[in-house]
Amino acid sequence: MKVNKYITGLSMAAISFALASCNEFLDKYPDSRMDLKNPSEVSQLLVSAYPSAHPAYLTEMYSDNTDEQMHSTWSTFDRFQEQAYQWKDIQEVRNSETPYQLWEAHYTAVATANEAIAHIKSVSNPHDYDAQLGEALLCRAFAMFQLSTVFCQAYDKTTAQGNLGLPYPTEPEQVVGRLMERGTLEQLYANIEKDLLEGISLVGTKYARPKFHFTKQAAYAFATRFYLYAQQYDKAIKYADLVLGNQPGDILRNWAEWNQLGPSGNVQPNAFVQASNNANILLLPVPSEWGVISIPVLAGSKYAHGEMLSKNETLQAPGPWGNSGTELLYTVTYNNGVSKYALRKIPYVPRVIDVTAGIGIPYSEYAVFNTDETLLERAEAYALSGKYAEALKDINTELTAFSKKKVQLTLDKIKDFYNSQAYYTPTKPTPRKALNPLFAIEKTTQEPLLQCLLQLRRILTIHEGFRLQDVKRYGITMYRRQVDVQSKVNALTDSMKVGDPRLAIQLPQDVISAGITPNPRNK
């Protein structure tokens, strides 16, 4: 088995090639054959330690944000989209967001980080490289964390010792054919935490374009999400505090200003990921078709976030703040004759490689960490810690920025709303979905508060790939529905309940063939 291909990524020459980007920041790369001589050259190398792929397209298709839309003119975009929606083990490799490409891109980032770390360990003056070492460790931890959200089950303290993790390379591959074991999810999280904490202690602050690097703030935002998923809520709150400061409302997205831009073209998407926006903490430009698949154009309309979802569960559904579509600060985009209901958040920029041949690569950009998400992550950590007043305060801080009338909720109003909603069924959908996590939830106050947080985050992060993680962490049952143009469910074709092995997306077939243990499947 060629471990340097299947585990630790591509060669150093391929690293420079694979991460070419339409973004100016990523247009220049160090020579892959360079002999590293100083901290500046290591910093240049670390430009390639950020993954050249993002799982949003895959995880949105896989999640309950997508239905099968039944109309004669609505067709699938490609085999990858169909396999992802149908929860099949995906065989397609060409699309930039397939499991194969995600695996390659993230392990390439790990390989780059390991090259940098190995060089730093070899020099006589390693402390001169502290900032570079911190960034390399954070990049390695981030790449592995992202992979865990795709290829692993959700972390839970009661099952992490038994669930599969992922190979975690910590040094450049020297022996071709050495098989690395996956280990357990508990071991994977321990390795991520070790790199994360050491990286936080070392990472620097001086970057020409800080929104494309792990700054202290980005490292703290990463730690917030990691510890929330790791069920260490006090630590999630601690690091969120370091991101948000004493006045978090001052650094949230200006949703009113963004909404006024209008949904045509790339105007709103470009503004959403603008580096000068204080809400954006870490930006990741990657090859991606999701910027066009997610919006109301005909391409890929068979599997989409459609009217039934929008009006009953997400963008236009009722919430304790009122009607989401009229009370929250966004304009839902849709077109007659197209199935999709969307927000314009993901840029789509084709980069031309060969004008004559008409060859190009589509690119998007993602705000992988931002202050609004960090605030809601802290609110969830408070809610799960039984600190309901603090959770409510964070929700209201977000709603001050995200609602037209600066809505302020009370615990009673939240409880009254969700208690008045029947639990979701696939034919009678509501925003209130049954929660079946492996941990206990107090029913009177905690569950309605969590329902509020999950609904608000589902709306706020629509199209960004986060919903599947909430589904996995809270044991929410997903259904596959065939929905006609009158938003009537014609058929239920599948369901995925808590504990379903398909919640861990299958590894690429090439990786399995190379000897890596696949994710289990029911016979």
Side-chain angles (χ1 to χ4, degrees):
M1 183 188 81
K2 295 182 179 179
V3 175
N4 62 326
K5 177 179 179 183
Y6 294 112
I7 299 299
T8 60
L10 308 175
S11 66
M12 292 305 293
I15 288 171
S16 294
F17 176 79
L19 301 187
S21 168
C22 63
N23 189 286
E24 178 186 353
F25 173 72
L26 295 181
D27 276 345
K28 296 180 181 179
Y29 292 96
D31 187 338
S32 61
R33 298 162 295 178
M34 70 190 302
D35 180 18
L36 299 173
K37 297 183 179 68
N38 55 55
S40 177
E41 291 183 351
V42 174
S43 291
Q44 285 181 289
L45 175 63
L46 288 172
V47 169
S48 302
Y50 293 84
S52 64
H54 189 276
Y57 181 7
L58 170 61
T59 55
E60 286 291 301
M61 282 296 111
Y62 216 80
S63 79
D64 60 350
N65 279 345
T66 305
D67 280 324
E68 183 177 359
Q69 312 291 332
M70 306 303 293
H71 190 277
S72 59
T73 63
W74 296 344
S75 60
T76 183
F77 184 73
D78 56 16
R79 191 166 69 127
F80 162 64
Q81 186 192 34
E82 183 169 69
Q83 290 176 338
Y85 172 80
Q86 293 177 351
W87 301 327
K88 291 183 177 179
D89 293 350
I90 298 167
Q91 306 300 318
E92 184 63 52
V93 300
R94 290 170 295 178
N95 186 292
S96 59
E97 288 123 317
T98 64
Y100 175 87
Q101 296 294 347
L102 290 169
W103 183 278
E104 288 285 317
H106 285 78
Y107 274 112
T108 293
V110 172
T112 308
N114 284 340
E115 291 286 345
I117 293 167
H119 172 75
I120 294 168
K121 289 181 178 179
S122 72
V123 301
S124 60
N125 56 333
H127 288 301
D128 292 349
Y129 293 78
D130 279 354
Q132 289 75 24
L133 178 58
E135 184 176 10
L137 290 166
L138 288 165
C139 286
R140 184 167 73 186
F142 174 69
M144 295 307 304
F145 178 73
Q146 289 288 88
L147 286 174
S148 76
T149 65
V150 175
F151 296 114
C152 298
Q153 294 284 351
Y155 182 94
D156 187 86
K157 293 177 181 178
T158 63
T159 59
Q161 288 183 327
N163 284 336
L164 284 169
L166 293 169
Y168 203 103
T170 57
E171 58 187 29
E173 184 58 43
Q174 302 295 332
V175 181
V176 175
R178 180 171 67 91
L179 180 64
M180 295 188 68
E181 299 296 334
R182 290 185 63 172
T184 67
L185 187 56
E186 183 178 62
Q187 291 168 331
L188 175 59
Y189 264 54
N191 285 325
I192 294 171
E193 182 179 28
K194 182 177 182 296
D195 280 351
L196 173 60
L197 293 178
E198 187 176 357
I200 286 174
S201 71
L202 297 170
V203 72
T205 57
K206 297 180 180 179
Y207 296 108
R209 302 193 69 187
K211 295 297 178 72
F212 298 90
H213 291 276
F214 266 110
T215 60
K216 287 284 189 185
Q217 188 189 37
Y220 295 149
F222 177 19
T224 301
R225 187 172 300 158
F226 171 78
Y227 281 117
L228 177 65
Y229 287 15
Q231 300 177 344
Q232 298 185 50
Y233 307 124
D234 56 336
K235 293 181 180 179
I237 294 166
K238 167 189 170 182
Y239 285 106
D241 288 347
L242 293 171
V243 175
L244 300 168
N246 295 325
Q247 298 294 330
D250 293 345
I251 57 172
L252 297 180
R253 190 175 303 279
N254 188 329
W255 291 96
E257 183 179 272
W258 172 76
N259 192 43
Q260 289 172 357
L261 295 173
S264 62
N266 266 330
V267 177
Q268 275 191 330
N270 286 341
F272 194 84
V273 295
Q274 192 170 29
S276 61
N277 191 319
N278 287 334
N280 292 326
I281 299 174
L282 181 64
L283 299 170
L284 186 69
V286 297
S288 174
E289 294 174 324
W290 185 230
V292 70
I293 301 299
S294 63
I295 63 174
V297 297
L298 197 57
S301 288
K302 185 174 182 179
Y303 304 111
H305 180 264
E307 182 180 23
M308 189 172 190
L309 277 164
S310 182
K311 291 187 175 180
N312 293 285
E313 300 179 50
T314 59
L315 299 176
Q316 297 162 294
W321 43 80
N323 182 287
S324 299
T326 57
E327 295 300 325
L328 300 181
L329 280 164
Y330 51 73
T331 300
V332 182
T333 60
Y334 57 93
N335 290 323
N336 292 332
V338 177
S339 63
K340 305 170 195 173
Y341 281 59
L343 300 186
R344 295 304 314 277
K345 298 164 67 178
I346 312 297
Y348 178 77
V349 182
R351 180 178 182 178
V352 176
I353 295 176
D354 187 326
V355 175
T356 303
I359 298 173
I361 299 175
Y363 277 78
S364 294
E365 193 165 331
Y366 294 90
V368 292
F369 295 109
N370 63 59
T371 54
D372 296 78
E373 291 165 15
T374 301
L375 181 65
L376 291 188
E377 287 164 354
R378 185 174 72 176
E380 184 186 345
Y382 277 137
L384 290 168
S385 301
K387 298 178 179 179
Y388 303 146
E390 292 89 340
L392 179 65
K393 182 179 178 181
D394 281 350
I395 290 171
N396 282 330
T397 298
E398 183 59 47
L399 286 173
T400 298
F402 195 44
S403 64
K404 295 176 182 177
K405 298 177 183 177
K406 302 185 185 302
V407 173
Q408 298 293 280
L409 302 177
T410 64
L411 287 175
D412 284 342
K413 188 170 184 178
I414 290 172
K415 288 189 284 187
D416 288 345
F417 174 79
Y418 289 102
N419 288 335
S420 71
Q421 297 285 309
Y423 279 109
Y424 168 99
T425 69
T427 55
K428 295 181 179 179
T430 73
R432 186 189 187 193
K433 292 201 167 184
L435 308 181
N436 300 287
L438 296 179
F439 52 86
I441 293 178
E442 188 273 325
K443 295 295 183 181
T444 303
T445 302
Q446 192 176 53
E447 187 196 337
L449 193 54
L450 290 170
Q451 291 282 359
C452 179
L453 279 163
L454 289 169
Q455 184 182 358
L456 184 57
R457 181 160 56 227
R458 189 179 184 186
I459 295 169
L460 188 137
T461 65
I462 193 84
H463 313 312
E464 295 181 68
F466 290 102
R467 175 60 180 176
L468 183 60
Q469 310 318 315
D470 287 350
V471 167
K472 290 163 70 168
R473 292 186 307 119
Y474 280 93
I476 296 171
T477 298
M478 296 189 291
Y479 294 90
R480 286 304 180 232
R481 308 182 295 185
Q482 293 180 340
V483 180
D484 66 19
V485 292
Q486 282 80 39
S487 291
K488 178 183 176 182
V489 177
N490 288 341
L492 298 177
T493 58
D494 203 351
S495 64
M496 190 184 293
K497 299 180 180 180
V498 60
D500 193 307
R502 293 174 297 174
L503 288 166
I505 294 173
Q506 189 57 274
L507 308 189
Q509 185 57 52
D510 281 10
V511 175
I512 297 170
S513 299
I516 302 298
T517 303
N519 284 325
R521 289 293 183 261
N522 290 328
K523 294 182 179 180

